[in-house]
Amino acid sequence: MNIRLMMAVLAAKFASFISRRFGWKGSSLPGVVARKIYPGTLRDLAGQARRGIIMVTGTNGKTTTNNMIANVIEAGGFRVVINQEGANLITGVTAAFIKHADWLGRMRFDYALLEVDEASFPRVVKEVKPQFVVVNNFFRDQLDRYGELDKTVQLVRDALKTLPDVHLVLNTDDPLVAQLQTTTGHPASFFGLAPHQRPDNGARQTREARFCPRCGKELHYDTYQYSQLGSYACEDCGFQRPTPEVEAALVETAGTALRCQVRYPAGQVQLAIHTQGFYNLYNALAAFTVGYLVGIEPRRILKGLLRYKPAIGRMETFRYNGKPAVLNLVKNPTGYNEGIATLLNIPGTKNVFMAVNDNDADGRDISWLWDVDFEYLADNHRDIEVFVCSGLRGEEMALRLKYAGVPLEKITVVRELAAAIKEVLEGPGESTYLYSTYTALWPTQKILSGLAVKEDLHAEGLSSLS
């Protein structure tokens, strides 16, 4: 029996208790305490997995993808450990194991499902050896923390090269992700969307990867999904979009749900998820691919995905005075552009809330807001009644909207978060859409939960999707 591990777990659980007692979020605090007492805590706890470790990394969609995978794995009858709340630094990953361990540091689980921050990925894989690694996408994000995009890709690629035996699950539509098979030498399974699934073709969005990751020549695209995701090929060296094992087509929106036909090696099925946002199909396809690879029956995979409920701020839906309100985390230009596209697809008039903070977790540099296509939003402002800007940098958000061309009479700045949320919810629009950066998200969700009712989308049923 490892006495240091026991002491670390005991101290961490006590820290977690105190944190909850005083109402602190503290999702990473137990990991911080445990690692101070015994640096081998994560390695020892993760080593108790009976079947393996599955990691998710990349820029956007880590929390959603990881939670979808958890639903799929549990639908297959397995027990899981998961950092469900999105605490994805090494301390948060450690805390997830501590939460599920007993006071002696003993655990009983089949799979650990871990979303891991890109910059923390090299540290985590030094202590935890995954069986599968899912990479969803690479986008420019928090330049003051990560640096340029090629540095982020290199961090993940170099860390993958150190792993002796791992199977990659890669988004075939992102050339920055797809290249990881050849650059690491690991076996890979690809997932993606069939061409021409999106009517607007993502034509206005910023492209993060114009050039071939292999030879540096400009990539040729036949079609885009969004940002640099699409059907690409390098006419110089032959690098091109790999043929996916799992591919979605015939994408439809059905109220607050999405559905599509999924082709995979053993046949074809209809997949449905209770969430909005075109990008969430990629998250669902990644989860489907993992489920298929670990041997779960397709009908159980689909059942698990159908049970998925959005995590905090991931297209989370509320109802205020009979009107829907959707909360969405935004943290980089690509994610914000997709959030705008989702907003404009919602029928009827809307109220819009935009909270921007510049704390360490958000990134101090908010210049990325000028790369978001707010001009597209301004061009389609007629169905938007009000824009309420808040947070530490609410004034800068309002200024960005002004320069995008949003009429000044529609823009309001309310620094106090609770007052701003109350004002936007009571706006004249038929629905409300709330955008929030990281450190504003939890306070926004807490205030919203006190004012509105969390909507259970599953209560509506999905009979039309089955």
Side-chain angles (χ1 to χ4, degrees), residues 292-310:
Y292 177 73
L293 289 172
V294 302
I296 297 174
E297 295 177 5
R299 64 181 180 84
R300 291 185 177 272
I301 297 174
L302 298 175
K303 188 175 181 180
L305 288 171
L306 199 56
R307 288 178 175 172
Y308 165 75
K309 294 182 180 181

Side-chain angles (χ1 to χ4, degrees), residues 287-422:
F288 185 97
T289 306
V290 170
Y292 177 73
L293 289 172
V294 302
I296 297 174
E297 295 177 5
R299 64 181 180 84
R300 291 185 177 272
I301 297 174
L302 298 175
K303 188 175 181 180
L305 288 171
L306 199 56
R307 288 178 175 172
Y308 165 75
K309 294 182 180 181
I312 289 176
R314 277 73 175 184
M315 301 301 296
E316 193 178 9
T317 305
F318 298 82
R319 194 160 287 273
Y320 179 80
N321 289 342
K323 298 179 181 180
V326 179
L327 177 60
N328 194 21
L329 169 69
V330 288
K331 58 174 186 164
N332 53 43
T334 298
Y336 220 136
N337 285 336
E338 284 300 289
I340 290 171
T342 302
L343 165 70
L344 295 178
N345 282 328
I346 296 174
T349 57
K350 279 88 67 172
N351 311 312
V352 174
F353 170 85
M354 296 172 165
V356 178
N357 282 354
D358 62 348
N359 294 313
D360 286 339
D362 306 289
R364 295 289 186 180
D365 181 1
I366 64 165
S367 63
W368 62 271
L369 290 173
W370 293 87
D371 293 325
V372 180
D373 195 0
F374 291 116
E375 285 71 19
Y376 183 46
L377 186 59
D379 290 345
N380 295 274
H381 72 82
R382 291 165 192 80
D383 288 338
I384 301 175
E385 301 286 353
V386 294
F387 294 85
V388 178
C389 303
S390 190
L392 300 177
R393 304 299 288 270
E395 289 87 353
E396 285 86 345
M397 184 67 251
L399 182 68
R400 177 68 185 93
L401 292 176
K402 172 190 172 181
Y403 276 99
V406 175
L408 291 179
E409 62 270 19
K410 289 191 173 185
I411 305 172
T412 303
V413 177
V414 182
R415 286 294 298 270
E416 206 277 309
L417 206 59
I421 294 169
K422 180 74 170 175

Side-chain angles (χ1 to χ4, degrees), residues 10-20 24 26 29-30 33:
L10 281 167
K13 284 184 174 292
F14 180 72
S16 179
F17 170 78
I18 295 297
S19 177
R20 293 195 305 271
W24 303 330
L29 179 62
V33 172

